[in-house]
């Protein structure tokens, strides 16, 4: 039994000593990457007698890439406010499982129908606080 224990200890010591002997590779100083310059764009001036159709404006997203929409309600994502705006309830908003309502002061709820709990500007998403202020 002593032989197996000695072999095990020697193997561990030898294996661990290999870690201590290795030296880190020297770091090489690479030249800095120059900042990218905007590439020149071709001229888009119209040829006389030809008109260029106007590009359609980018559609406003109905949903957020980061936050899920409210369950079962018609809403749209307002990027400026950072919340979903409920289409059928005035001044009612949704984000992260919480509904927010402005009615001469802020209140919040876990349901669009209440019960509503009063809160202050610190209890609402930042975009709402900036828009409605208190």
């Amino acid at each position: 039994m002593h032989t197996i224990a000695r072999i095990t200890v020697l193997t561990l010591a030898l294996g661990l000593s290999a870690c201590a002997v290795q030296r880190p590779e020297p770091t090489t100083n690479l030249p800095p990457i120059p900042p990218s310059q905007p590439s020149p764009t071709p001229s888009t001036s119209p040829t006389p007698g030809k008109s260029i159709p106007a590009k359609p404006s980018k559609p406003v997203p109905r949903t957020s890439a980061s936050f899920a929409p409210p369950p079962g309600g018609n809403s749209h994502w307002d990027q400026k406010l950072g919340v979903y705006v409920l289409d059928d309830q005035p001044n009612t908003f949704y984000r992260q499982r919480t509904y927010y309502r402005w009615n001469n002061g802020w209140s919040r709820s876990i349901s669009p129908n209440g019960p509503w709990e009063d809160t202050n500007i610190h209890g609402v998403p930042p975009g709402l606080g900036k828009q409605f202020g208190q």
Side-chain angles (χ1 to χ4, degrees):
M1 189 68 164
H2 277 78
T3 308
I4 294 175
R6 283 184 178 176
I7 292 173
T8 303
V9 169
L10 287 173
T11 304
L12 285 173
L14 184 61
L16 291 176
S17 67
C19 293
V21 174
Q22 291 182 358
R23 296 183 187 182
E25 292 186 26
T27 58
T28 57
N29 292 336
L30 298 175
I33 298 173
S36 63
Q37 299 294 325
S39 60
T41 55
S43 173
T44 57
S45 59
T47 309
K50 291 185 179 180
S51 64
I52 297 175
K55 292 182 180 179
S57 64
K58 195 174 186 180
V60 177
R62 297 278 306 161
T63 60
S64 163
S66 303
F67 301 105
N74 291 332
S75 65
H76 66 276
W77 177 253
D78 187 318
Q79 190 168 358
K80 180 181 173 190
L81 298 176
V83 294
Y84 285 94
V85 178
L86 273 62
D87 295 333
D88 54 350
Q89 293 184 2
N91 293 333
T92 306
F93 312 94
Y94 176 85
R95 189 167 103 176
Q96 291 180 317
R97 295 184 229 150
T98 304
Y99 292 87
Y100 302 95
R101 181 177 67 178
W102 172 259
N103 187 8
N104 294 324
W106 284 110
S107 56
R108 62 183 173 194
S109 175
I110 58 170
S111 165
N113 301 321
W116 294 94
E117 168 188 276
D118 287 341
T119 189
N120 60 21
I121 196 169
H122 302 291
V124 299
L128 288 177
K130 290 177 187 174
Q131 178 71 20
F132 288 87
Q134 214 176 358

